[in-house]
Amino acid sequence: MASLGPLALARQLLAILHRDGGRLAQIDAYLHGRHADPYMPPMADDEYRLLAKRAVSNWMPLLVGTPAQALYVDGYRAGADATTASQPDSATPEWEHWQRSRLDARQAAVYRGALAFGHAFTVTEKGRSGAIVTKGLSALKTAALYEDPANDDTPAAALTVTAWPKDEQPGRARLWDTRREYEVSFLSLSDEKSVRVRGGVLHGAQECPVTRFAASVDLEGRTLGVIEPMIALQDRINQTVFDLLLAQTYGSTKVRTVSGMAPPVQRDPESGEPVLDELGNPIPLQINHNSRRFLFAEDPDVRFGSLDETPLAGFIESIDMSVRHLSAIAQVPPHAMLGQIANLSAEALQAAEVSLSRMIAEFRTSFGESWERVFRLAAELAGNASSADDFRGEVVWRDMESRSLAHAADALGKLREQLGIPERGLWRRVPGVTQTELEDWEQMREDDDSVAQLSTALTRATVDRSIPEAA
């Protein structure tokens, strides 16, 4: 692959986008509520189609948002060999690059894209002002090539589409290899002969500056998100809701019946004879009847009756069962999807979220490695050789577990007293603490220690001077 030229790389990457385009487009459609229609009769009328449209119950954003909301990078700790290891975490060049790229807010889009489609990308490069920034790239427009897609974290080349072909205008894309960046134009993803490559500007790094964020990668190099395995279950829920709406619309009320009674007909006001239509049939009168009116007939042979309504409990139970199946397979707690949290203790809630916590821990491990590569790329572009080779650095994830401050303080106090863990080592485990607050605590602690040392020194000096006078 290293021997391939930029034109061959561009054609191969565009072919990957063409191959995966249909699958990713379906995932994107389900994420935004554009689902396949439930089964309907071939001659369904407009009322049926309206009910099918209203039957869509989109659970996909919840499956993506629940783990994504627990992923938040709150700091970076450089390795011991890096030149910035002794600096405060918020003062390191790596964290300065993070803040300049506005990744506090933009990191969520990277996680949601990776969880939805199975992978997302970032590119780290120098901006027009010379500042190094990192921005996210969509999986719908970006593809990367790897020598070993299951184990490599550095792509041999990557391409992202910046403009799709429209009318007579060709599409445009950016291509990166290990040393250079190229401009690519194409008429369609499947038309290899229309691909053109221009330029070849050095991007400043010794490897491709695109980083992949993969939610799950198997040994074949295939990525899998949280939406694609749930499409069949989502369709099943939509079908059940559609059946419920049909039963609710057409059979949820009692039907009153009458036999042996002819409906009243229109009569001529002068002669009293029935008025006939074009076919010679009497024209029936419209009956104003509802549940508040009595039914009566003059003929004693008339019989009234009713047809029972269709019970809806079975449909509702079927929907709840399908949602529970969706919850179990997606590892999202049932109470987060059904909203049934009454009479649940803190221990029961924690036990229900164990599966979700394990899944989030797996995502943090995978995404953390990707962010560490981003920091090394930024250091290399900035000319910081020591940080560029720092493979011992780690990102710091914010603790997003739902725990009360009193409960956490009691647990941290026991760890300090019973296990002898230094109290400064427990500060990071305080719920909701940020990197800036930790550094403020460190400075306050040093200031308090210096004031205490000065006070102790003055006290000792005063005591030493008073000893000869007392003697």
Side-chain angles (χ1 to χ4, degrees), residues 414-454:
K414 291 180 179 179
L415 292 176
R416 173 70 178 91
E417 296 175 0
Q418 299 178 7
L419 301 181
I421 300 176
E423 57 184 29
R424 292 191 181 184
L426 299 173
W427 286 356
R428 293 185 180 275
R429 297 184 176 273
V430 176
V433 66
T434 64
Q435 185 61 42
T436 304
E437 290 176 332
L438 287 174
E439 294 175 5
D440 291 342
W441 293 353
E442 290 280 358
Q443 185 62 41
M444 292 177 186
R445 183 65 176 267
E446 293 178 2
D447 294 342
D448 292 344
D449 291 344
S450 61
V451 172
Q453 292 176 3
L454 178 60

Side-chain angles (χ1 to χ4, degrees), residues 205-443:
Q206 299 299 318
E207 56 189 28
C208 183
V210 174
T211 303
R212 178 180 66 178
F213 287 73
S216 175
V217 184
D218 61 11
L219 294 180
E220 297 295 331
R222 296 169 297 193
T223 59
L224 184 66
V226 300
I227 288 183
E228 189 174 9
M230 304 298 150
I231 291 179
L233 266 173
Q234 177 67 76
D235 288 341
R236 191 173 83 186
I237 294 174
N238 292 344
Q239 182 67 53
T240 308
V241 175
F242 176 64
D243 295 340
L244 170 64
L245 292 179
L246 287 179
Q248 177 179 308
T249 302
Y250 297 108
S252 62
T253 58
K254 287 183 178 297
V255 177
R256 299 186 183 276
T257 62
V258 60
S259 61
M261 182 177 69
V265 296
Q266 295 184 16
R267 296 183 180 276
D268 190 311
E270 296 180 358
S271 64
E273 296 295 329
V275 179
L276 304 180
D277 57 11
E278 298 176 353
L279 301 177
N281 298 320
I283 301 176
L285 290 174
Q286 187 176 6
I287 301 175
N288 185 13
H289 169 68
N290 55 46
S291 58
R292 294 184 301 172
R293 296 183 180 271
F294 293 100
L295 296 177
F296 60 91
E298 298 178 357
D299 191 345
D301 295 330
V302 173
R303 296 290 182 267
F304 294 100
S306 64
L307 300 177
D308 293 337
E309 67 275 10
T310 303
L312 303 179
F315 295 98
I316 298 174
E317 292 176 0
S318 178
I319 294 173
D320 289 344
M321 180 193 67
S322 298
V323 173
R324 289 190 179 93
H325 290 177
L326 185 70
S327 171
I329 298 175
Q331 295 183 252
V332 177
H335 63 268
M337 305 186 71
L338 298 174
Q340 298 175 354
I341 59 175
N343 300 326
L344 289 180
S345 63
E347 292 77 9
L349 286 174
Q350 186 176 5
E353 295 180 354
V354 168
S355 180
L356 176 63
S357 300
R358 292 172 180 172
M359 181 176 62
I360 292 173
E362 181 180 355
F363 292 152
R364 286 181 175 179
T365 302
S366 176
F367 296 157
E369 292 292 332
S370 299
W371 283 127
E372 290 161 16
R373 181 178 184 269
V374 169
F375 287 129
R376 291 194 297 269
L377 281 172
E380 181 182 0
L381 292 174
N384 189 345
S386 176
S387 297
D389 293 331
D390 180 19
F391 287 87
R392 301 176 63 182
E394 294 182 352
V395 295
V396 179
W397 295 93
R398 178 178 294 182
D399 186 4
M400 305 294 287
E401 293 186 9
S402 56
R403 295 178 298 173
S404 65
L405 185 59
H407 182 271
D410 181 65
L412 295 177
K414 291 180 179 179
L415 292 176
R416 173 70 178 91
E417 296 175 0
Q418 299 178 7
L419 301 181
I421 300 176
E423 57 184 29
R424 292 191 181 184
L426 299 173
W427 286 356
R428 293 185 180 275
R429 297 184 176 273
V430 176
V433 66
T434 64
Q435 185 61 42
T436 304
E437 290 176 332
L438 287 174
E439 294 175 5
D440 291 342
W441 293 353
E442 290 280 358
Q443 185 62 41

